[in-house]
Amino acid sequence: MQVPAHVEYERAASVEHALALLARFGPEARILAGGHSLIPMMKLRLAQPEVLVDINGLAELGYLRLDGAELAIGALTRHAELLSSELAAAHFPILTDAEKVIADPVVRNWGTIGGSLCQADPSEDLSAAFAALKATMVIRSPDGTRTVPAREFHTGPYETVVAPGELLTEIRIAVRPGGGSSYVKVGRRVGDWPVGAAGAALWLDGGVIGAAGVGLTAVGARNFAAAEAEEFLSGARPGPDTFRRAGEIAAEHCRPVPDQRGPAAYKRHLACELTARALSRALDRAPQAADGAAPGRAG
Amino acid sequence: MTAGLNGAYGSLRRKEDARFLRGKGQFIDDIELPGMLHGAVLRSPLPHARIVYVDTTAAEAHPQVEAVLTGETLAARNLAWMPTLSQDVQAVLATDKVRFQGQEVAFVVARDRYSARDALELIVVDYEPLPPVVDASQAMAAGAPLIRDDLAGQDGNKIYDWEAGDQAATDAVFAAADVVAVQDMVYPRSHPAPLETCGTVADFDPISGRLTVWSTTQAPHAHRTLYALVAGLPEHKIRIISPDIGGGFGNKVPIYPGYLCAVVGSIVTGRPVKWVEDRSENLMSTAFARDYRMHGEIAATRDGKILGLRARVLADHGAFNATAQPTHFPAGFFHIFTGSYDLQAAHCQVTAVYTNKAPGGIAYACSFRITEAVYLIERMVDVLAAKLGRDPADLRMQNLLRPEQFPYTGPTGWEYDSGDYPRALRLALDMASYDELRREQARARERGEYLGIGLSFFTEGVGAGPKKHMDILGLGMADGADLRVHPTGKATLGISVQTQGQGHETTFAQIVAHELGLDPDDVDVVHGDTDRTPFGMGTYGSRSTPVSGAAAVVAARKVRERARIVAAAMLEAAPADLEWTGRAWQVRGDPAQARGIAEIAMAAHSALELPAGIEGHLDAAAVYDPPNLTYPFGAYICLVKVDPGTGEVQVLRFIAVDDCGVQINPMIVEGQIHGGLADGVGMALMQVLAYDEDGNCLGGSFMDYLLPTAVECPSWELGSTVTPSPHHPIGAKGVGEAATVGSPAAVVNAVIDAISPFGVRHADMPLTPANVWSAIQGQAAGPGQATR
Amino acid sequence: MQITVTVNGTAYTRDVEARLLLIHFIRDELRLTGSHWGCDTSNCGACVVWLDGRPVKSCTVLAAMADGHQVRTVEDLARGAGLDPVQEGFARCHGLQCGFCTPGMMMTARWLLDHVPDPDEATIREAISGQICRCTGYENIVRSVRWAAEHEAAARAAESGSQP
């Protein structure tokens, strides 16, 4: 088995301590949470940090709770915890759907939400799910706290706006009634990175779509989102034709890269097909519109 | 442990489980010796390049490094090249060129494994890149880069041409046939990927001159003889020990460069050296499997009677011809490709070629290329069925060999020993409720859902093999057994084959116990240590039960016959008056005058006066030269569901009826089948060791070389028939590879069946979602390539 | 750096490099070689042990991260001469062939049964979906876990004197 290069290790006793360690050791220090994104990279020697700051002891960063009108998820929440969270499933089943297909049950025991988001793999499932939900990322630094929309969190493959001395602490999602959400993924096998995946969230207003969020991963969608498709959906009547058209628009605006998982044409097709399916399932989970009009049921 | 109803045969619990369940197995990486050092291999990042220089100065200066070997240091000992099992040579550490990505260039020996890994980065190699060729057709084209410029007289990349069958008779049959169906197909490169990688601990004692090598080897004696020949060490001073092996599947048959480097490392440092490869090394440099590009043609009457079969194969062997198969069969047993059907004529032609990829080809439970042969014929039968508009089960039943035709000599010379094929197919069809499945398929199509039903009927020839036809590097493929019955009636059996999970410690004990009326608990099976076991060629090609099992039977029967004479002396009777009851020698008609083996053993060692010529022991040895292969067979049916919107395939059911002759331990037989069926799902749907056009290996980790998990596998539904082998002493046939051989075609046939309404007639493995969807759109990805 | 890891109830203090992987700490430092490794990319699961009561892939955890924490390995399953019902199930149902994936499979199975005493087949398959077996085709592993579940249910019923 491959093994990492030499590295130093520090264990943080609090968030402040973690930030102080990051400040002390500079850009060659990396936060170590579950390690299931970072340690594999270190074993292959694709990542060679000088210092690891272990934050696994920071219980204050592992939580899932309603905070006012928002669902707040601590960055150190393990994937398994998000998967089994009834609170998350009740408000945002898109997250439960996504966690079911992220990695495998054992990896989910230890890998964290924050770790996956900060790894910023272009095929990361949660990036698409949080983009669909238009979540907000909360980032701490010695100077205080700042928030960044999920759709502005990534600046490129494996790059985020989290600066060397900063720590992602929380993800927040506004809770609104009347919504439904879902996540649909195609992989070559269970546990594989997606060939393509789509997450959708929509809220009904009268007989039409009041608001929609569509997230895509692994297909080169800008900011993991299908903004043009969302624009089309806003105010449209929900139903199979609408969702198919939304999928087409989403597909037009992504730039999939051909690789072992599939050719570009196939990935583009998945962007369309899975967007439509995710919207359809989201609709199935949405309560009926307030005026009693039953939303069209998709197949 | 309870004995079964059929003597000592039956589903006994395994003796070897006691240590594995407690985590007390001894695998190669568990071995620790005093003063042991750790080796690591530096590998070429380039697929084809000249080596300008190798500078190991910095690595040698690393405080934990004890030695660094290069091609140059090995060349000084005449060890830079080693012979392969196919009359070629393979570089141990590269000297002139590197010829595949991952090829061994240098070997570091350090005090701990982490330092060894660090030291690799301190070695500087200057490469002069050369154009790589990774596509077998391109390697055959005029003007292709010459890979094996080290071989005198090699002016291209072709290794050999080989053929079997009667070309003229086959041409005549095709010319006269009503219907000819043609199909190109690829059996992509895959890899056995046992869960435990390959490794060695080499310990050379300079005072005694003895070399002890613990190694993940499926053939310890063959390795010992090879080390003697290659390293020039006297054979009686070499001891090879196979410890517990975490899966072999043919991957652990060859001697790998890392092993030889560990041996030299031990000689140079005077200390034991352990080298265990990591997974990327295993996938990128050890014996791969398959990589056959095949063209098939099948000729039939319009009523569906199959008349003839033709095949042309382009075989990609990688940079060195290191395939492991009997010497006179360079394409293995591919020419059994006529399968289970009654044909008039057949002809096949195989061209083998070098490419800038790792060496290998015969591995992964292939039964010496029978995986490729069965895939070809079973796809061709479905292609023919589609062309004729015939149900594929019906077409098979029409053409299967009939029981009265056995022993059957096929058009390419194989003499099938026994079989009742229609019975096995009928059983599988009944278990599957086949007609109901077809009705369900029709109903599903009306709902816009796509179910597929695929069949595979296969015959293998396993248990290589008769010495007059089959040898490896001149060593005949016979195997030995060494049986000693101790004075208190317990027995020790030494065997030359090597289990890697097949349960030999249990099944071979059952064989001896059955012959001698003992409890299997009273028979200890010793294997894997060349100091303690008789010579033999090892385990692969499902040969353990057919060859070594037979040797154990023969040795046990020798013991039993010797025991008869001793019992006669004990009972003061004539040996001819005694009969064997299954548990004792008894005076015919007088149960009170009976003696079991335990009593006889003690008597043999006592002062009892024995007839002239009989020595006082109950020991025997046997070397078994099989008169023929054995021919297990099976009928498989696979049910899949395809989502045409995404191309995803779900395997819903898999029915497998197998016939491996007499079964020693049905529980173990079933386990072997289960494992091979998973291989079928994996190879059909996800496994491929792909390369890009620059020669980069794309399957160097389990992130991309995907293996099936419990979720992709259905609950296997097994049935069996028993058609004993007429020539095997207990009527048993081999079984270890049957399911790996038979299952891929069933899965592929099922997927094609599911998407045939879209006009798809064929698509190549692996049928990933992308490949299935592309096939539905009419856009094939291209033979054997990773999808672009 | 010095770390103290409690493994199978015993605290071990060792001087290790920060980069030492937990699987190597268990195998090479403590000579508990029942846990294995089989890949480079956290896919195969041969290395599964418990960390603070949860199955983890110990090839993807640093030993330093386990400093002050609890680890449980396959060597802790059997109590004296007796086998854990999971081990007994694997023996009776032929849930192992080469034995290399078996420790990891059993550790996950043990955790599953501790939390889901009556898992159906799909649940069992999902629970081991992050672990590869090359020999068994998974069928008998599933049967082994079911045997252990049923055996433990019967034992609980017998203990409480009620019908299962």
Side-chain angles (χ1 to χ4, degrees):
Chain A
M1 182 179 47
Q2 302 198 34
V3 297
H6 280 288
V7 71
E8 297 301 313
Y9 172 91
E10 296 287 337
R11 187 176 283 196
S14 67
V15 173
E16 290 70 32
H17 185 209
L19 294 172
L21 288 167
L22 288 176
R24 180 165 136 213
F25 291 107
E28 291 310 313
R30 292 287 296 269
I31 292 290
L32 176 65
H36 277 49
S37 299
L38 180 58
I39 291 177
M41 300 273 278
M42 290 175 63
K43 285 160 69 173
L44 298 174
R45 306 208 175 189
L46 298 172
Q48 295 198 31
E50 282 175 12
V51 182
L52 294 172
V53 177
D54 183 344
I55 60 167
N56 284 289
L58 305 187
E60 67 262 40
L61 290 184
Y63 56 86
L64 246 154
R65 58 178 177 242
L66 272 179
D67 190 1
E70 291 181 303
L71 181 70
I73 305 173
L76 204 62
T77 302
R78 311 281 170 185
H79 286 287
E81 288 163 349
L82 180 56
L83 173 60
S84 63
S85 162
E86 284 171 17
L87 189 62
H91 292 285
F92 301 113
I94 180 179
L95 295 175
T96 319
D97 287 349
E99 283 293 359
K100 276 191 191 135
V101 293
I102 286 177
D104 63 67
V106 177
V107 168
R108 290 196 293 260
N109 278 342
W110 205 242
T112 64
I113 310 301
S116 295
L117 289 170
C118 291
Q119 176 72 357
D121 194 295
S123 302
E124 176 57 49
D125 289 295
L126 286 181
S127 301
F130 285 128
L133 294 176
K134 296 180 179 147
T136 303
M137 312 305 197
V138 179
I139 301 170
R140 285 273 298 270
S141 76
D143 303 327
T145 302
R146 65 188 181 103
T147 60
V148 174
R151 296 184 182 206
E152 290 167 34
F153 186 71
H154 302 93
T155 54
Y158 309 102
E159 285 171 17
T160 70
V161 297
V162 180
E166 294 184 311
L167 181 65
L168 173 70
T169 54
E170 186 180 69
I171 300 94
R172 302 182 71 89
I173 313 158
V175 175
R176 290 154 43 188
S181 66
S182 85
Y183 192 81
V184 182
K185 166 177 172 177
V186 170
R188 293 173 297 175
R189 189 203 69 185
V190 72
D192 191 18
W193 290 95
V195 187
L202 47 74
W203 290 264
L204 301 175
D205 187 5
V208 301
I209 297 169
V214 177
L216 290 167
T217 191
V219 293
R222 197 170 57 250
N223 299 320
F224 292 95
E228 299 81 2
E230 292 167 345
E231 217 181 283
F232 164 77
L233 287 165
S234 176
R237 270 215 113 61
D241 294 333
T242 303
F243 297 154
R244 173 72 33 191
R245 184 70 200 120
E248 285 166 4
I249 295 170
E252 276 163 41
H253 288 90
C254 59
R255 281 190 304 241
V257 174
D259 62 15
Q260 280 202 88
R261 298 197 172 85
Y266 174 66
K267 295 187 181 190
R268 198 176 291 283
H269 164 78
L270 282 185
C272 174
E273 178 74 29
L274 299 184
T275 295
R277 292 189 189 191
L279 284 165
S280 171
R281 285 180 208 183
L283 181 67
D284 285 346
R285 288 173 172 160
Q288 292 213 0
D291 68 357
R297 282 288 175 264
Chain B
M1 183 185 303
T2 54
L5 291 171
N6 182 13
Y9 296 167
S11 294
L12 268 59
R13 281 167 64 152
R14 298 194 332 164
K15 299 179 175 210
E16 40 268 84
D17 287 357
R19 63 186 185 273
F20 294 132
L21 290 172
R22 290 176 174 81
K24 298 294 184 195
Q26 193 186 51
F27 297 92
I28 194 73
D29 196 38
D30 301 341
I31 294 172
E32 196 193 39
L33 300 176
M36 189 174 77
L37 301 170
H38 295 260
V41 177
L42 180 72
R43 296 180 180 276
S44 166
L46 298 173
H48 199 196
R50 222 161 271 301
I51 296 182
V52 180
Y53 66 80
V54 179
D55 183 352
T56 60
T57 323
E60 289 173 58
H62 187 298
Q64 305 303 322
V65 167
E66 294 283 332
V68 181
L69 308 177
T70 63
E72 208 180 297
T73 51
L74 288 188
R77 295 167 180 267
N78 223 15
L79 288 174
W81 293 85
M82 62 179 181
T84 70
L85 296 172
S86 287
Q87 286 92 43
D88 192 357
V89 288
Q90 173 177 355
V92 178
L93 291 177
T95 48
D96 57 333
K97 276 184 5 176
V98 290
R99 293 173 170 86
F100 66 92
Q101 187 185 58
Q103 184 177 348
E104 300 80 2
V105 175
F107 189 79
V108 164
V109 181
R111 293 205 197 102
D112 66 271
R113 73 173 86 222
Y114 282 58
S115 297
R117 171 67 184 85
D118 292 341
L120 291 181
E121 282 170 13
L122 301 176
I123 301 175
V124 180
V125 183
D126 189 16
Y127 295 104
E128 202 178 86
L130 297 168
V133 53
V134 287
D135 177 274
S137 305
Q138 286 172 16
M140 286 293 294
L146 179 66
I147 298 171
R148 297 301 302 280
D149 50 342
D150 61 296
L151 295 175
Q154 183 80 23
D155 61 2
N157 293 316
K158 178 155 75 171
I159 308 175
Y160 63 76
D161 282 312
W162 183 84
E163 61 180 299
D166 187 332
Q167 185 164 31
T170 306
D171 287 348
V173 159
F174 270 77
D178 298 332
V179 175
V180 172
V182 173
Q183 183 61 58
D184 286 336
M185 64 188 80
V186 174
Y187 207 132
R189 178 176 281 236
S190 65
H191 194 282
L195 197 61
E196 177 205 38
T197 59
C198 302
T200 279
V201 177
D203 187 10
F204 179 74
D205 177 349
I207 295 172
S208 67
R210 278 189 71 84
L211 173 68
T212 305
V213 183
W214 287 262
S215 202
T216 52
T217 167
Q218 299 176 221
H221 294 89
H223 276 212
R224 184 170 94 154
T225 306
L226 286 171
Y227 279 121
L229 294 171
V230 169
L233 292 165
E235 194 171 4
H236 65 299
K237 296 219 176 216
I238 302 174
R239 179 183 184 189
I240 308 290
I241 303 172
S242 294
D244 290 321
I245 300 181
F249 314 110
N251 188 220
K252 292 171 177 167
V253 168
I255 291 180
Y256 292 116
Y259 299 169
L260 215 41
C261 289
V263 169
V264 175
S266 181
I267 292 172
V268 160
T269 61
R271 289 161 66 171
V273 173
K274 172 190 276 190
W275 172 75
V276 182
E277 60 176 3
D278 63 38
R279 179 56 63 185
S280 69
E281 299 180 277
N282 175 255
L283 292 170
M284 286 176 56
S285 76
T286 66
F288 73 91
R290 320 285 189 271
D291 214 337
Y292 256 30
R293 201 168 298 183
M294 305 189 278
H295 171 87
E297 298 180 10
I298 191 164
T301 68
R302 65 178 61 85
D303 301 321
K305 176 88 190 87
I306 302 173
L307 303 172
L309 188 66
R310 276 205 285 245
R312 262 193 338 266
V313 178
L314 185 58
D316 186 329
H317 281 228
F320 306 103
N321 186 11
T323 52
Q325 78 286 308
T327 310
H328 303 297
F329 300 82
F333 299 162
F334 180 78
H335 53 304
I336 203 173
F337 76 123
T338 55
S340 317
Y341 308 105
D342 189 11
L343 309 189
Q344 291 176 10
H347 180 255
C348 67
Q349 192 272 327
V350 178
T351 299
V353 63
Y354 292 121
T355 58
N356 287 120
K357 295 189 258 186
I362 288 197
Y364 202 359
C366 71
S367 290
F368 298 131
R369 299 285 188 191
I370 300 184
T371 40
E372 291 88 321
V374 164
Y375 183 69
L376 178 91
I377 178 66
E378 289 307 295
R379 275 299 298 135
M380 292 312 301
V381 169
D382 259 38
V383 165
L384 178 66
K387 186 157 187 166
L388 294 175
R390 290 282 303 276
D391 176 278
D394 205 49
L395 188 64
R396 283 178 169 83
M397 188 64 90
Q398 177 185 354
N399 285 283
L400 286 176
L401 291 163
R402 293 291 180 268
E404 53 271 19
Q405 290 177 274
F406 286 82
Y408 167 77
T409 302
T412 53
W414 297 101
E415 191 186 305
Y416 296 6
D417 60 2
S418 67
D420 187 344
Y421 295 171
R423 182 166 150 241
L425 180 55
R426 261 194 302 278
L427 177 58
L429 294 170
D430 287 344
M431 287 173 64
S433 299
Y434 182 79
D435 293 339
E436 178 52 35
L437 281 186
R438 285 290 177 199
R439 287 192 286 272
E440 200 185 314
Q441 178 183 44
R443 289 193 293 268
R445 281 199 191 148
E446 283 164 29
R447 294 194 302 266
E449 289 172 15
Y450 295 88
L451 298 177
I453 304 161
L455 280 82
S456 170
F457 197 105
F458 66 95
T459 298
E460 304 187 85
V462 301
K467 283 200 320 188
K468 65 176 182 281
H469 304 304
M470 296 183 184
D471 67 90
I472 295 185
L473 291 189
L475 297 168
M477 298 186 73
D479 265 72
D482 211 328
L483 181 57
R484 291 188 295 144
V485 182
H486 311 301
T488 56
K490 314 300 184 197
T492 301
L493 174 73
I495 56 176
S496 54
V497 288
Q498 182 51 52
T499 180
Q500 323 107 49
Q502 296 93 320
H504 293 174
E505 290 170 29
T506 305
T507 55
F508 278 79
Q510 289 179 266
I511 289 175
V512 169
H514 189 85
E515 296 297 319
L516 298 182
L518 297 174
D519 189 309
D521 270 338
D522 291 340
V523 182
D524 199 34
V525 176
V526 175
H527 59 87
D529 183 339
T530 55
D531 270 7
R532 299 170 61 200
T533 54
F535 185 85
M537 292 304 282
T539 292
Y540 41 82
S542 307
R543 65 191 299 276
S544 296
T545 298
V547 185
S548 199
V553 172
V554 170
R557 289 179 183 171
K558 286 185 187 178
V559 165
R560 198 169 74 205
E561 282 310 305
R562 176 186 291 281
R564 177 209 289 261
I565 295 170
V566 175
M570 294 164 81
L571 295 166
E572 295 177 347
D577 292 337
L578 301 184
E579 63 184 5
W580 177 252
T581 68
R583 293 205 152 268
W585 282 112
Q586 180 203 298
V587 174
R588 204 169 280 110
D590 190 353
Q593 299 295 317
R595 296 290 183 270
I597 291 291
E599 299 168 275
I600 298 171
M602 185 60 81
H605 288 276
S606 73
L608 176 72
E609 196 178 324
L610 295 170
I614 301 297
E615 294 166 353
H617 64 82
L618 284 191
D619 299 339
V623 174
Y624 188 76
D625 180 12
N628 189 5
L629 303 184
T630 63
Y631 294 81
F633 57 94
Y636 291 171
I637 302 176
C638 179
L639 176 70
V640 303
K641 182 169 179 182
V642 178
D643 180 338
T646 62
E648 288 168 296
V649 176
Q650 193 189 349
V651 179
L652 299 176
R653 289 180 66 193
F654 200 111
I655 292 94
V657 170
D658 278 273
D659 190 317
C660 61
V662 168
Q663 298 186 12
I664 298 158
N665 186 318
M667 179 187 78
I668 287 182
V669 169
E670 279 201 351
Q672 296 297 299
I673 302 296
H674 290 161
L677 297 179
D679 284 335
V681 169
M683 278 188 279
L685 302 182
M686 65 188 74
Q687 285 170 228
V688 60
L689 202 59
Y691 285 75
D692 69 16
E693 59 239 351
D694 298 321
N696 295 306
C697 179
L698 302 176
S701 82
F702 283 167
M703 269 185 11
D704 283 303
Y705 186 66
L706 298 172
L707 298 170
T709 72
V711 166
E712 287 80 33
C713 296
S715 185
W716 315 109
E717 300 167 56
L718 264 51
S720 72
T721 60
V722 177
T723 316
S725 168
H727 65 79
H728 188 278
I730 61 174
K733 302 182 179 181
V735 72
E737 296 162 303
T740 309
V741 166
S743 58
V747 183
V748 173
N749 284 342
V751 175
I752 304 300
D753 184 58
I755 61 178
S756 58
F758 297 97
V760 179
R761 290 288 159 254
H762 179 74
D764 279 322
M765 300 185 277
L767 295 169
T768 60
N771 285 348
V772 172
W773 183 84
S774 299
I776 291 172
Q777 314 314 307
Q779 304 151 23
Q785 292 169 1
T787 49
R788 296 274 177 269
Chain C
M1 57 182 290
Q2 196 178 82
I3 63 173
T4 299
V5 184
T6 301
V7 182
N8 302 333
T10 302
Y12 296 93
T13 300
R14 295 283 189 276
D15 219 338
V16 301
E17 290 185 349
R19 62 172 171 165
L20 182 69
L21 299 168
L22 181 59
I23 183 62
H24 287 144
F25 178 77
I26 293 168
R27 289 179 51 81
D28 299 336
E29 283 294 322
L30 303 184
R31 300 301 303 153
L32 291 168
T33 56
S35 307
H36 304 132
W37 57 265
C39 77
D40 308 322
T41 48
S42 318
N43 292 113
C44 81
C47 64
V48 170
V49 302
W50 288 13
L51 178 57
D52 290 341
R54 284 170 296 179
V56 298
K57 294 189 172 179
S58 64
C59 71
T60 315
V61 176
L62 300 179
M65 293 161 77
D67 182 18
H69 292 268
Q70 315 264 340
V71 171
R72 188 180 187 206
T73 70
V74 64
E75 287 89 346
D76 191 60
L77 277 182
R79 297 292 154 87
L83 292 176
D84 184 282
V86 166
Q87 293 168 304
E88 183 67 27
F90 272 72
R92 285 175 184 252
C93 300
H94 191 31
L96 66 152
Q97 292 183 25
C98 81
F100 203 72
C101 78
T102 309
M105 291 288 184
M106 292 193 302
M107 294 310 288
T108 294
R110 181 67 266 160
W111 184 90
L112 177 67
L113 294 182
D114 285 351
H115 292 81
V116 183
D118 187 22
D120 63 12
E121 185 182 329
T123 302
I124 296 171
R125 287 178 182 272
E126 216 267 328
I128 60 172
S129 63
Q131 297 167 245
I132 302 289
C133 173
R134 301 296 287 139
C135 299
T136 68
Y138 305 103
E139 181 72 32
N140 285 346
I141 293 178
V142 173
R143 291 180 191 173
S144 301
V145 179
R146 274 307 309 163
W147 185 94
E150 282 158 25
H151 176 87
E152 291 186 332
R156 280 193 299 274
E159 245 177 85
S160 70
S162 62
Q163 291 303 306

